[in-house]
Amino acid sequence: MISMRQHAISIVAIFLALAIGVVLGSQTLAADLLSGLRADKTELRQQVDALTEQNRQLDDQAMAADRFVAGSSGRILGGMLADRSVVVFTTPDADPGDVDAVTRALEISGAGVTGRISLTEAFIDAAEGDRMRTAVTNVIPAGAQLRTGAVDQGSMAGDLLGLVLLLDPASGQTRGTPQELELVLETLRGGGFLAYGDTPVRPAQLAVVITGNGVDAARDGAGSNTARFAGALRGRGAGVVLAGRTGAADARGPIAVIRTDAALAEQVSTVDNLERELGRVTTVLALGEQLNGGAGRYGTGAKAASLTLAALPG
């Protein structure tokens, strides 16, 4: 007969054996797991290195393409906009390098840049809408009338500035006096909506609106106001191009707003890769397309129809 003492010893022995088995098994499992993790780490490192090298090669190719396009810009653009005039608008997030590069491309094309006007944060801030609409309605030239559909601040400002700054596409003449133009610009500058230098801004046939990467586009309706501004400008002139970086074509970016609005997309050309030389050249080519009555969506961002124009405007 098994005594209680023997029974207790047997139970202890069983649990001790189980404990030893668990320890030994866990050591084996840990060793296998560690070995597997080391193998995974090595494989991941190889993948990272391969992707890093691939990205380096792509960057080198992009830089080479930029150098080629920059070197060929004279042949691509030379004389294309000869005797044409362009006014350049910039949003607060526009990259100064992009603005300078587009201005150079315009000059290479033979276009005359009649002025560079900066739209301020207040211009695109929906919270400033009432104050801006009041400023706009107070300086409408005598005998002129804004379009009845222009009720948001971007559309109203674009309609007014298009009226005084863009030549009539039909006659090629101004639609206001120099004094009326000065009053409009000075009033909007005095209200903190515009900024420009001491050189007088003159009317032009065409306009380029240069924006940034769209990071803050959703804040305070900035993206929508910029897009509506460009659309209203186009309603008054022979052509408008809205150009920015790739992010401006995402979410609520100004280029995205244009491209998702059928009416705007039919009127305003958009370019979303302005950080690259090809985008800067395409911006000028798109102005030529606008003069011929066309509109397109160019670049590498969302809803772009092609990288650039398939053929030079004739």
Side-chain angles (χ1 to χ4, degrees):
M1 181 175 177
I2 300 175
S3 67
M4 289 297 296
R5 183 172 179 275
Q6 290 174 323
H7 184 65
I9 291 173
S10 298
I11 293 175
V12 169
I14 291 171
F15 278 106
L16 181 60
L18 287 172
I20 292 172
V22 168
V23 170
L24 293 176
S26 64
Q27 289 178 341
T28 302
L29 179 62
D32 291 343
L33 180 61
L34 183 60
S35 177
L37 289 173
R38 285 172 177 164
D40 288 345
K41 180 182 178 181
T42 300
E43 183 179 353
L44 287 173
R45 170 55 59 187
Q46 291 172 346
Q47 292 177 5
V48 169
D49 290 343
L51 290 173
T52 299
E53 175 60 20
Q54 184 179 5
N55 285 337
R56 186 193 64 77
Q57 293 176 1
L58 290 173
D59 286 341
D60 288 346
Q61 292 172 11
M63 293 297 292
D66 278 347
R67 289 192 294 271
F68 174 79
V69 173
S72 304
S73 60
R75 293 190 296 274
I76 298 171
L77 300 176
M80 197 194 78
L81 293 181
D83 302 321
R84 303 293 185 177
S85 52
V86 183
V87 60
V88 177
F89 294 93
T90 62
T91 63
D93 65 340
D95 187 282
D98 294 345
V99 178
D100 290 341
V102 170
T103 302
R104 286 195 300 270
L106 288 169
E107 292 169 349
I108 290 171
S109 75
V113 177
T114 63
R116 280 170 47 166
I117 300 176
S118 301
L119 312 180
T120 66
E121 292 285 355
F123 188 100
I124 60 175
D125 184 353
E128 296 280 358
D130 289 341
R131 191 169 70 87
M132 186 169 170
R133 282 188 285 269
T134 299
V136 167
T137 54
N138 284 339
V139 290
I140 299 173
Q145 194 172 28
L146 297 187
R147 300 180 188 277
T148 56
V151 294
D152 62 274
Q153 69 194 79
S155 295
M156 288 184 68
D159 197 26
L160 176 64
L161 288 172
L163 187 66
V164 297
L165 261 180
L166 295 182
L167 302 177
D168 187 327
S171 67
Q173 302 300 312
T174 59
R175 285 170 289 207
T177 66
Q179 292 76 21
E180 288 171 333
L181 170 59
E182 183 179 6
L183 177 62
V184 169
L185 293 179
E186 285 299 323
T187 299
L188 293 179
R189 179 162 71 173
F193 300 113
L194 300 179
Y196 50 90
D198 296 329
T199 303
V201 179
R202 294 176 288 107
Q205 294 169 296
L206 304 162
V208 174
V209 181
I210 300 176
T211 189
N213 58 14
V215 171
D216 297 324
R219 189 187 66 193
D220 302 322
S224 177
N225 283 331
T226 300
R228 302 297 172 193
F229 168 72
L233 271 181
R234 179 63 180 90
R236 293 292 188 177
V240 172
V241 174
L242 173 62
R245 297 194 166 205
T246 305
D250 296 334
R252 299 181 186 177
I255 291 177
V257 173
I258 293 280
R259 290 178 177 178
T260 54
D261 185 308
L264 288 175
E266 288 181 359
Q267 295 295 317
V268 179
S269 291
T270 53
V271 180
D272 65 42
N273 57 339
L274 203 54
E275 66 271 30
R276 310 249 55 123
E277 288 291 340
L278 183 59
R280 296 159 180 176
V281 167
T282 301
T283 298
V284 179
L285 294 176
L287 282 174
E289 177 187 47
Q290 286 273 301
L291 280 171
N292 290 333
R297 308 185 307 275
Y298 305 108
T300 57
K303 295 187 181 295
S306 61
L307 186 59
T308 188
L309 277 71
L312 302 182

